[in-house]
Amino acid sequence: MASTFVAVFEIASFGAIIVLFVLGLGIIASMMGIFNFAQGEFVLLGAYVTYLAYAHGAPIWAGMVAAPVVVGAFGFVLEALIIRRFYAAPIVAMLGTYALGLIIRESVRGLIGGFYLTVPEPVGGSIDVGAIHISAWRFTIIVITLLVMGACYLLLARTSFGLRVRATLENPGLARASGISTPLIYGATFAFGAALAGLAGALIVPVFSLFADLGIRFLIQGFVAVMVGGVGSFIGPVAGAGVIGTLSAALPWVMSPVVADVLVFVLAIVFIKFRPQGLIAGKGV
């Protein structure tokens, strides 16, 4: 019983990490009609900012708060200078953001010297319930993810900014005619998606350590999760992240991790083949 509970907890904690990553990726894809292949490197930047703050003597929590702010600001500048030129050509956008991600990844690799750098968990130890022991920090990640999901939903569904975002998503021309600054909305949305990735990096660096290829595994799984969940809605990518995150964390308990990774992608490809609109169909992109 205890081992089953621990397994469920590990699956939920990994799923929470995937959800955090996919929230930003899905918002950008739904809003702008492009897949940001630099999203994994935004996770890396969030982890790197957290490490820099810790290495310079700041409290680890300060680094984790700074990470989404710094990465979001970087994303806003990047969108204004480069990304907005790709909106008319989604395929070119995929290649362009992949190239940007490669530049960021190799730059960080040069800065950290190719090493694996560790950051302590802000909440150490374990939570003990009888014979069951679970990581206090992984439990914290789950709680933070739930809070962030709720905040994102309220922001997009219950605020003036969210209304403008949804209006721009549904009909950019009409939104412009109504006085909405669509370039500003695009920039703010891209920055918001980047900030979520930066937060994900800050939360996971104590678990996975800091290394240059940290964001790659989450990029591939996040891309598949968005396709499985469906582009064009808030709930779709989150649902896809739940499915992919659960499968990615659960299958290695019953088979080889390598076989499990392959099986997850095969199942996702088969699903997309028969339901290309995803679990929850939104606005076609």
Side-chain angles (χ1 to χ4, degrees):
M1 180 65 181
S3 61
T4 301
F5 183 86
V6 171
V8 171
F9 174 78
E10 292 292 328
I11 292 168
S13 63
F14 185 78
I17 293 170
I18 298 295
V19 166
L20 267 181
F21 178 82
V22 167
L23 271 176
L25 185 65
I27 287 172
I28 291 173
S30 298
M31 177 71 192
M32 301 173 177
I34 63 172
F35 277 100
N36 175 27
F37 274 73
Q39 191 78 353
E41 278 58 53
F42 290 158
V43 172
L44 173 62
L45 286 178
Y48 184 61
V49 170
T50 304
Y51 169 78
L52 282 181
Y54 169 71
H56 286 82
I60 189 66
W61 279 112
M64 290 184 170
V65 172
V69 176
V70 172
V71 177
F74 177 75
F76 186 83
V77 173
L78 196 65
E79 192 277 339
L81 295 179
I82 300 175
I83 302 297
R84 66 177 52 181
R85 292 169 171 77
F86 296 153
Y87 293 152
I91 300 300
V92 176
M94 293 170 67
L95 297 175
T97 54
Y98 177 81
L100 288 171
L102 186 62
I103 293 171
I104 295 171
R105 182 165 69 250
E106 295 308 315
S107 298
V108 173
R109 193 190 307 276
L111 290 170
I112 66 178
F115 295 108
Y116 282 66
L117 304 176
T118 59
V119 175
E121 296 178 347
V123 181
S126 62
I127 299 175
D128 303 328
V129 182
I132 300 173
H133 311 283
I134 59 176
S135 166
W137 178 239
R138 285 181 177 264
F139 178 77
T140 304
I141 290 176
I142 295 174
V143 173
I144 293 175
T145 299
L146 292 174
L147 292 175
V148 169
M149 287 174 59
C152 288
Y153 175 78
L154 292 176
L155 177 67
L156 295 174
R158 296 288 187 268
T159 67
S160 174
F161 172 74
L163 179 62
R164 292 170 183 268
V165 168
R166 287 182 283 118
T168 305
L169 169 63
E170 290 296 329
N171 194 322
L174 184 58
R176 285 192 295 270
S178 302
I180 297 175
S181 175
T182 53
L184 181 60
I185 292 295
Y186 282 136
T189 303
F190 192 88
F192 183 58
L196 288 174
L199 176 61
L203 294 177
I204 66 175
V205 66
V207 179
F208 294 98
S209 297
L210 171 63
F211 57 100
D213 297 323
L214 175 64
I216 293 178
R217 65 176 300 183
F218 297 105
L219 174 63
I220 297 172
Q221 291 172 331
F223 176 80
V224 174
V226 171
M227 295 301 296
V228 169
V231 178
S233 69
F234 175 82
I235 301 298
V238 173
V243 172
I244 298 300
T246 298
L247 289 175
S248 297
L251 291 178
W253 286 79
V254 296
M255 63 180 66
S256 164
V258 175
V259 176
D261 284 343
V262 173
L263 182 58
V264 169
F265 295 125
V266 169
L267 292 175
I269 290 170
V270 172
F271 177 82
I272 294 170
K273 170 66 177 177
F274 291 99
R275 189 174 172 83
Q277 71 271 31
L279 288 169
I280 301 175
K283 179 179 180 290
V285 175

